[in-house]
Amino acid sequence: MKVNRRAFLNGAAATAAGLAASGGFSASARADAPIKVASIHDLSGGLDIYGKPMVDALTFAVEEANAAGGLLGRKIELLSYDPQSNMQLYTQFATQAALKDKVAVVHGGITSASREVIRPVLDRFKTLYFYNTQYEGGVCDRDQFDTGVTPAQTVEKLVPYAMKKWGKKVYVIAADYNYGQITSQWVKKYVQENGGEVVAIDFFPLDVTNFGPTISKIQAAKPDFVSSALVGGAHISFYRQWAAAGMRTRIPMASTTFAVGNEHIVLSPEECNGMLVCYNYFQGLKNKTNEAFVAKFHKRFGADYPNITELAMGTYQGFWLWASAVKKAKSVDRMKVIEALETGISIDAPSGKVTIDPPTHHCILDVHIAEVKDKNLVVLENFPQQKPSDTAAVCNLIKNPTDNQQYVIKI
Amino acid sequence: MDLAVVLAIQVLYAIASLALISLGLAIVFGMMRVINLAHGEFLMLGGYAAIVGTHLGFGLWVSMLVLAPAAVGLIGVVVERTIIRFLYGRMIDTMLATWGLSLFLIGLTTFVFGNTTVGISAPFGALAIGRYRTSAYTLFVIAVATAVLGGVYVVLRHTRLGLIARGTMQNANMAAALGVNPPRVYAVTFGVGAALSGLAGGVLAPVSGVFPTIGVAYIAKAFITVIGGGAAIVTGTVSAASLFGTINQLATFATTPVFGEVALLGAAIVLIRLLPQGITGRFFRRGL
């Protein structure tokens, strides 16, 4: 074939028109393409006791949204990454979610350590981030929303309740990383404010399984009760050894972490009955939204599903807060969704009303104190609409929108 | 005074549990020079065997003391026949293979049992010593460890089976020339090592609980004990477990659990620096 200048130009113009047309075509296809939502939760390794229920709850929420026609007329696609309880993989998957898969939002992170690993990555690549775990408080970052409860919402209620019931002398045991270190300081603060005394604070690396010497030390100190912030599978053996030494009936216990990993099902009733806990959600909460939710959840995952945990509900509520903001903003654009969330958006969730607190990006929600009784959590007292006052004392993202750090609150 | 007695029991318990979790590894490593990185998972499987047996109604004692070692011993023989036997003398390859096996076993257990497994509580109840209370089960663990160590010593020292095993490990060709079938001895030895790990996992299940990744909490301590002990299986395990157990418990009681772990690891580093062949490389050299 002979190519002269005219034929070439004609051909080029046709190609260009074709490109433009196909470009236009793919743009219109993009408007129908599914909205991608990333989940980064440990589904294997030592933290899977927490991660599995969270991913189940997120899967459930996405299916629920899709059954109702999706968001903005588009389906939602859940991309689930398993970082295998390994911090390095958290960085890798957060980068992949932001740059390669270009997700609209990331829900993820379980331990505070993992949150601090992915938060800077998602900040840098401007991807909206929801952290749905109860934690020690103080994160102040406009790109991030925290839907879990913090010490001013739970410890502030639990400590006086336990002190009134049992006495003023407290022995604190906690896991040895940022969560346990900071939470134990909150326990100490509230014990002292209520006129009590913390006799000792002991920290445990996450793989300790022999608690014999500590149990003797606690007996020697004779506290009125023990406050526990132990984390992970290995630490469950503390409660076992404590009960085997006949201490459960002698010195009672309150915890800021117990039952979050279904410890009350793994242990026998003789090993943990009577323990006090305080969270936003319990499966047995008596309200219509919750009863309908539990019935639907059991239909999807089986009636023998062990227990819908605090963290699972945090993740479910986190998704719906985001989804309501997307509806309000009529867009999945990061800044527009943040602004919609900052109007103080609110949902009617199974745990009660959950509202975003605009200055802190934390939540205003109900909390409940419950007691472990024969593998169930029996709710004893309700505290409606608690504000995240710990983080609010240091963080105001309306005044300082560029603030980006975790405040360690001085106690 | 009460406190001294309680502390003594706890030190003995720490020694007993270290010896229990290490003995299976010591046999496999000490006699066959196989570094079994799936050792922690053998312990974990022992725990599951005990729990499943109890839930099936076999009774706690049968499940813990018979079913757990039998099941894990059987798994050990299968693993030796299908994986390990192709890798004798290739230490690095064995490490890779057993590490893979360890991941596989964790995945398989999670798949089969999920991660919320109902445990079993310790029998016997509590024991009061003056103003202190401790679990009576602690004494049972000490008794089991003593019996197992004694049993292994007697078998190795005084039976024909022990003699053949030791002979094969020392010089397989010579043993073969004298009419022994070395591959069979290897399979049996590996199976016995696995069975002892299963027993340890079963006996410790009521104390530490059982979940798929529990092996991780055991394996480092088991390796430190075996390496610290050196070549002699029983003497090495007992001496290293005594040293590390005592240091760990006393440091934990005097300071905090964090320093207890640090003291154990620090002691291990100093020990290996001073005695690269382990305790039995220098002392008790005629031990077994």
Side-chain angles (χ1 to χ4, degrees):
Chain A
M1 195 178 103
K2 194 178 167 207
V3 178
N4 60 25
R5 193 168 60 111
R6 184 162 300 161
F8 174 78
L9 283 178
N10 279 342
T15 317
L19 271 178
S22 71
F25 174 73
S26 74
S28 66
R30 224 176 295 133
D32 300 334
I35 301 172
K36 288 179 182 168
V37 172
S39 150
I40 310 183
H41 296 98
D42 304 295
L43 289 171
S44 51
L47 295 172
D48 63 355
I49 48 170
Y50 306 120
K52 185 78 176 37
M54 296 172 88
V55 176
D56 288 345
L58 193 54
T59 309
F60 182 77
V62 168
E63 284 172 5
E64 212 175 42
N66 279 337
L71 277 177
L72 315 174
R74 293 161 67 183
K75 287 272 166 211
I76 300 162
E77 184 187 349
L78 181 66
L79 301 175
S80 183
Y81 308 86
D82 173 15
Q84 303 163 23
S85 308
N86 176 347
M87 293 302 150
Q88 211 179 328
L89 290 174
Y90 265 101
T91 323
Q92 185 187 322
F93 288 142
T95 312
Q96 187 180 338
L99 296 184
K100 179 165 171 263
D101 298 325
K102 297 195 175 30
V103 298
V105 62
V106 172
H107 288 268
I110 299 178
T111 62
S112 296
S114 65
R115 178 197 66 238
E116 290 309 301
V117 165
I118 56 179
R119 197 164 61 81
V121 175
L122 296 172
D123 275 345
R124 192 182 328 136
F125 300 129
K126 304 218 179 310
T127 305
L128 185 59
Y129 175 31
F130 272 72
Y131 177 62
N132 303 311
T133 312
Q134 61 119 349
Y135 84 113
E136 69 280 359
V139 169
C140 191
D141 179 349
R142 199 162 177 224
D143 186 57
Q144 188 195 8
F145 289 83
D146 301 85
T147 64
V149 284
T150 57
Q153 292 164 315
T154 55
V155 181
E156 198 218 352
K157 301 289 172 298
L158 185 61
V159 165
Y161 190 96
M163 284 172 75
K164 213 159 90 193
K165 194 167 176 186
W166 294 323
K168 291 181 180 303
K169 207 167 146 190
V170 187
Y171 198 107
V172 181
I173 50 175
D176 190 23
Y177 70 101
N178 52 0
Y179 170 75
Q181 296 273 356
I182 297 172
T183 303
S184 61
Q185 290 305 310
W186 280 105
V187 172
K188 190 173 171 186
K189 173 187 153 88
Y190 290 121
V191 168
Q192 287 171 348
E193 276 181 7
N194 288 284
E197 174 202 4
V198 169
V199 282
I201 302 181
D202 273 352
F203 296 107
F204 301 88
L206 288 178
D207 60 350
V208 169
T209 54
N210 181 5
F211 292 88
T214 305
I215 291 173
S216 305
K217 269 169 90 174
I218 298 176
Q219 293 180 18
K222 294 202 187 67
D224 292 323
F225 72 95
V226 174
S227 165
S228 145
L230 298 175
V231 174
H235 283 179
I236 296 180
S237 48
F238 172 81
Y239 305 110
R240 256 203 180 101
Q241 291 164 26
W242 179 254
M247 293 310 298
R248 183 186 67 82
T249 49
R250 290 169 180 253
I251 301 179
M253 211 178 297
S255 173
T256 58
T257 48
F258 194 82
V260 167
N262 284 337
E263 287 89 341
H264 62 298
I265 296 174
V266 173
L267 293 170
S268 69
E270 298 80 48
E271 288 167 330
C272 61
N273 268 356
M275 169 112 52
L276 285 182
V277 294
C278 181
Y279 299 116
N280 164 237
Y281 179 73
F282 294 99
Q283 186 176 313
L285 283 182
K286 299 237 175 324
N287 67 59
K288 287 228 165 59
T289 319
N290 183 46
E291 279 154 13
F293 170 82
V294 173
K296 235 175 117 187
F297 195 89
H298 279 168
K299 209 171 151 198
R300 167 68 176 81
F301 289 103
D304 58 345
Y305 197 82
N307 176 38
I308 304 166
T309 63
E310 161 82 359
L311 304 186
M313 184 46 65
T315 310
Y316 177 79
Q317 292 172 174
F319 175 84
W320 277 112
L321 283 166
W322 170 80
S324 326
V326 168
K327 280 183 203 159
K328 183 164 189 161
K330 298 193 177 62
S331 161
V332 290
D333 177 73
R334 170 174 161 273
M335 226 33 236
K336 284 181 189 154
V337 175
I338 291 178
E339 277 158 10
L341 282 159
E342 281 175 347
T343 59
I345 215 160
S346 156
I347 57 169
D348 178 27
S351 77
K353 189 177 164 199
V354 179
T355 311
I356 294 279
D357 176 48
T360 57
H361 283 200
H362 284 56
C363 284
I364 300 165
L365 32 68
D366 294 353
V367 303
H368 315 270
I369 287 182
E371 185 185 43
V372 177
K373 198 173 175 195
D374 299 333
K375 307 212 170 205
N376 284 310
L377 301 164
V378 181
V379 177
L380 300 175
E381 200 165 335
N382 305 306
F383 302 88
Q385 298 300 299
Q386 296 300 310
K387 293 197 169 85
S389 57
D390 41 10
T391 312
V394 285
C395 175
N396 189 335
L397 289 163
I398 303 299
K399 273 193 194 144
N400 310 307
T402 54
D403 200 353
N404 179 4
Q405 61 178 308
Q406 178 177 16
Y407 289 97
V408 176
I409 297 145
K410 287 198 180 55
I411 296 158
Chain B
M1 183 56 210
D2 306 339
L3 187 60
V5 175
V6 171
L7 260 186
I9 292 179
Q10 269 156 19
V11 168
L12 277 179
Y13 170 74
I15 295 170
S17 58
L18 269 184
L20 266 183
I21 62 171
S22 315
L23 192 61
L25 185 70
I27 288 178
V28 170
F29 178 65
M31 295 186 72
M32 308 165 70
R33 296 279 128 197
V34 166
I35 297 185
N36 179 16
L37 288 180
H39 175 68
E41 281 59 50
F42 283 4
L43 291 163
M44 176 269 287
L45 289 175
Y48 273 100
I51 283 185
V52 170
T54 312
H55 289 331
L56 287 180
F58 284 101
L60 179 64
W61 302 110
V62 175
S63 316
M64 209 160 68
L65 300 175
V66 181
L67 274 183
V72 181
L74 201 67
I75 294 170
V77 172
V78 172
V79 166
E80 201 275 344
R81 286 288 89 190
T82 52
I83 302 174
I84 307 289
R85 71 175 164 134
F86 304 107
L87 300 169
Y88 283 118
R90 293 156 61 188
M91 204 177 263
I92 303 292
D93 300 350
T94 345
M95 283 172 77
L96 191 63
T98 51
W99 188 52
L101 179 68
S102 137
L103 296 178
F104 170 75
L105 289 176
I106 293 174
L108 187 71
T109 319
T110 315
F111 179 73
V112 174
F113 295 100
N115 43 27
T116 308
T117 304
V118 177
I120 36 180
S121 350
F124 298 133
L127 182 74
I129 300 166
R131 294 182 297 118
Y132 292 87
R133 295 169 71 83
T134 186
S135 163
Y137 191 74
T138 308
L139 299 178
F140 174 72
V141 174
I142 298 172
V144 170
T146 317
V148 169
L149 285 164
V152 170
Y153 181 83
V154 168
V155 168
L156 284 178
R157 186 77 184 78
H158 294 294
T159 67
R160 192 176 154 70
L161 188 74
L163 189 70
I164 292 175
R166 283 187 292 149
T168 314
M169 302 312 153
Q170 223 167 56
N171 191 329
N173 289 335
M174 183 57 79
L178 293 173
V180 174
N181 181 2
R184 236 181 93 195
V185 176
Y186 286 141
V188 170
T189 314
F190 196 88
V192 169
L196 288 174
S197 311
L199 177 68
V203 169
L204 291 175
V207 184
S208 55
V210 175
F211 48 96
T213 49
I214 181 91
V216 181
Y218 289 134
I219 188 142
K221 280 184 188 153
F223 266 104
I224 290 168
T225 310
V226 170
I227 309 248
I233 294 168
V234 178
T235 338
T237 306
V238 172
S239 54
S242 306
L243 181 71
F244 296 143
T246 312
I247 290 176
N248 181 231
Q249 292 300 83
L250 293 183
T252 303
F253 187 80
T255 56
T256 69
V258 181
F259 283 108
E261 300 288 298
V262 172
L264 189 156
L265 297 174
I269 293 170
V270 172
L271 180 80
I272 294 300
R273 178 68 190 84
L274 295 178
L275 306 170
Q277 300 297 313
I279 296 174
T280 51
R282 169 74 65 86
F283 308 105
F284 322 110
R285 293 181 70 163
R286 300 182 56 82
L288 191 72

